[in-house]
Amino acid sequence: MTKFIFVTGGVVSSLGKGIASASIGRLLESRGLKVTIAKFDPYLNVDPGTMSPYQHGEVFVLDDGGETDLDLGHYERFLTARLTRNNSVSSGKIYNSVISKERRGDYLGKTVQVVPHITNEIKESILAISKEQKVDVCIIEVGGTIGDIESLPFLEAVRQFRYDMGKENAINIHVTLVPYIDASGEMKTKPTQKTVAELRGIGIQPDVILCRSEFPMPEDIKAKISLFCNVEPDAVYDAVDAASIYEVPLLFKAQGLDDFLVRKLHLKASPHAQLDKWSHFVRQVYHPKKELEIAIAGKYVELHDAYKSIIESFIHAGVANATKVKLRWVDSEEVEKKGAAKLLKGVSGILVPGGFGDRGIEGKIQVIKYAREKKIPFFGICLGMQCAVIEFARHVMKLPKANSGEFNPNTPDEVISMMADQLNIKSLGGTMRLGTYPCKVEKNSKAYQAYKQALIHERHRHRYEFNNAYRERAKAAGLKLSGVSPDGKLVEMVELPNHPWFVGVQFHPELKSRPLAPHPLFREFVKAAVKYGAKPIMKKK
Ligand code: GLN
């Protein structure tokens, strides 16, 4: 039988509930339990696929093509489990389903209301996850902050669900903030007391209080929170700021949070947490031997959340190369004004990430030209690969007007064109080429050197592709098509053989990199960058 942990947040947003949920998941997995994590978000979009990265950060794509919140990325990176689109539930998705049922006549004769129809739908979606994934523990992170009107239906559903399931089967962990006030030299518990009072006002008594704080909390502060918030004395944990998110499961472990949860939920877990490899990884994150700088040339560079999985992939690949990868954020529109050489001086590698629309495209093309000509390791992802093809077509194949149909539908040389099965699609939500597809890797290639496999599976999110009408000319000019779909129809990877490392991929490798299993292409890209220009880190005496 599946046990449930609901994670809510109070006081302020951005408390790191996602990392907390992921870390609790990792910790329970390390006790031999099968765990999944889902995110319930209050917004009315059916999924985040139609939102700008500025609104919502990166869209994380799952194997089944589900477009989800970036927190699902943290869940997958911390867990061994693979998640499905059921793990991502928004108010929009719930309302959409209830309204379709109403139109079908499923509720014939009834007035359809938030309680019980919306709340029942939420409860069913919780059960659907446990039924599908047959886990020991299902963790559900409820988006938003207690006090938001938007998340009330979710919280009401959680209240009912816990009542239905009983205390030993469904618990609530409330994440709060315990600020340190410099002037008085004290940690303050009042915001935590207030948010717990508000949570209790909607019928949810938390079982665990997880306090974000700058410093570990003294015992008297924990005792005060326990007393005022009506939780057991050993149910108050601190979540101090960690230099690496990957240390958080270890910090929770050190306080015995796993033992508490195993006891509370009567879980049949192994007696000790197995976190050796994970701790080793964290030690390596903190003790690199070399360092280097890699440029990310994109258009959402002010908002690093837009490239969350890429950032994490570099941490994993950095550890695999005993190297600290520092990222230099280069705004591709700035490149158009100042030139590539000025903004890229000193970097050992250049990555052009995915994106949509024509803003900043010419800057990206300049960056790629610079990487190609100066023989700096280059990695192009999705739009980055498409731009690499445009750059190659313009400057090597001598098609100066080459472009993508996305940026200029009237170009005489549409080297990147809309995929055939996308042509008649009118609505934009969830209709791209999404999710995992297989790809054949050519033996004699950098891609094969990385994967060491002839057939790979990677996740996609795009509408445009390499135009096959240019295949032969591109090959003749020296572009290697190192990965194609098994039917040979789609070009999935390109590379330049006479360059130290120049690889473009139509998929999103960053979605599959894990701390203990870095993505082979990121690992090899960083390796090439190390060769190009890593500096040793001097130990302080
Ligand atoms: N805009 C491009 C396309 O739709 C690239 C998408 C992406 O980078 N995810 O094909």
Side-chain angles (χ1 to χ4, degrees), residues 45-276:
N45 301 61
V46 170
D47 59 46
T50 56
M51 277 187 242
S52 150
Y54 286 121
Q55 293 276 317
H56 199 259
E58 157 186 280
V59 173
F60 192 82
V61 182
L62 302 173
D63 278 335
D64 66 5
E67 293 179 283
T68 71
D69 188 81
L70 59 79
D71 278 318
L72 281 270
H74 290 310
Y75 306 162
E76 278 208 340
R77 283 187 284 271
F78 278 64
L79 295 182
T80 55
R82 284 281 199 256
L83 309 181
T84 77
R85 58 175 76 240
N86 280 345
N87 291 63
S88 176
V89 178
S90 67
S91 297
K93 198 170 181 181
I94 294 289
Y95 276 83
N96 203 23
S97 161
V98 168
I99 291 168
S100 315
K101 286 182 184 169
E102 185 276 330
R103 290 290 82 186
R104 223 167 45 211
D106 290 11
Y107 311 113
L108 217 52
K110 304 228 172 63
T111 307
V112 182
Q113 294 179 297
V114 172
V115 183
H117 299 97
I118 293 294
T119 44
N120 282 351
E121 189 74 24
I122 296 170
K123 289 198 281 179
E124 276 162 32
S125 64
I126 299 171
L127 290 171
I129 303 166
S130 63
K131 214 163 147 194
E132 177 191 54
Q133 296 167 33
K134 305 208 171 29
V135 286
D136 300 310
V137 183
C138 175
I139 300 172
I140 294 187
E141 179 191 349
V142 182
T145 308
I146 299 305
D148 299 344
I149 47 172
E150 293 193 310
S151 48
L152 280 176
F154 282 123
L155 295 168
E156 169 59 13
V158 171
R159 184 194 69 74
Q160 293 177 17
F161 192 88
R162 290 183 63 202
Y163 182 80
D164 300 343
M165 301 291 288
K167 272 194 162 148
E168 66 284 6
N169 297 320
I171 62 166
N172 171 252
I173 298 183
H174 194 48
V175 186
T176 76
L177 178 72
V178 176
Y180 174 77
I181 306 293
D182 214 10
S184 62
E186 277 180 316
M187 284 183 155
K188 292 293 181 190
T189 64
K190 188 71 88 199
T192 298
Q193 296 177 39
K194 289 268 181 204
T195 174
V196 171
E198 201 167 0
L199 193 58
R200 277 163 45 190
I202 43 184
I204 300 175
Q205 163 64 47
D207 300 284
V208 175
I209 300 189
L210 195 58
C211 306
R212 280 305 301 274
S213 59
E214 269 178 83
F215 311 104
M217 286 186 297
E219 283 309 314
D220 62 322
I221 294 284
K222 286 190 183 172
K224 196 168 167 187
I225 292 175
S226 153
L227 181 67
F228 282 96
C229 299
N230 201 21
V231 297
E232 292 166 41
D234 59 349
V236 184
Y237 292 85
D238 53 30
V240 284
D241 301 343
S244 163
I245 54 171
Y246 298 107
E247 195 187 345
V248 178
L250 306 177
L251 297 174
F252 289 173
K253 163 83 202 124
Q255 299 176 70
L257 179 57
D258 51 331
D259 290 330
F260 183 90
L261 296 174
V262 165
R263 201 169 65 238
K264 263 266 150 214
L265 288 167
H266 305 282
L267 291 163
K268 286 188 197 65
S270 52
H272 301 292
Q274 188 45 264
L275 280 164
D276 295 354

Side-chain angles (χ1 to χ4, degrees), residues 353-357 381-384 386 406-407 432 461-465 506 508:
F356 296 83
I381 294 181
C382 204
L383 180 72
Q386 297 175 353
E406 183 179 2
F407 318 133
M432 279 187 252
R461 182 171 188 255
H462 59 113
R463 291 186 204 283
Y464 290 81
E465 59 165 338
Q506 186 55 80
H508 288 274

Side-chain angles (χ1 to χ4, degrees), residues 14-31:
S14 305
L15 281 179
K17 265 185 298 164
I19 301 293
S21 306
S23 299
I24 293 165
R26 178 78 217 181
L27 201 46
L28 293 175
E29 261 198 358
S30 78
R31 297 285 299 261

Side-chain angles (χ1 to χ4, degrees), residues 11 44 48 159 219 374 408 487:
V11 187
L44 284 173
R159 184 194 69 74
E219 283 309 314
K374 301 279 182 228
N408 178 7
D487 64 4

Side-chain angles (χ1 to χ4, degrees), residues 287-291 323-324 535-539:
H287 301 290
K289 296 202 165 58
K290 296 158 274 184
E291 61 181 359
T323 299
K324 180 179 174 61
K535 293 194 185 64
I537 296 179
M538 299 297 173
K539 286 232 165 62

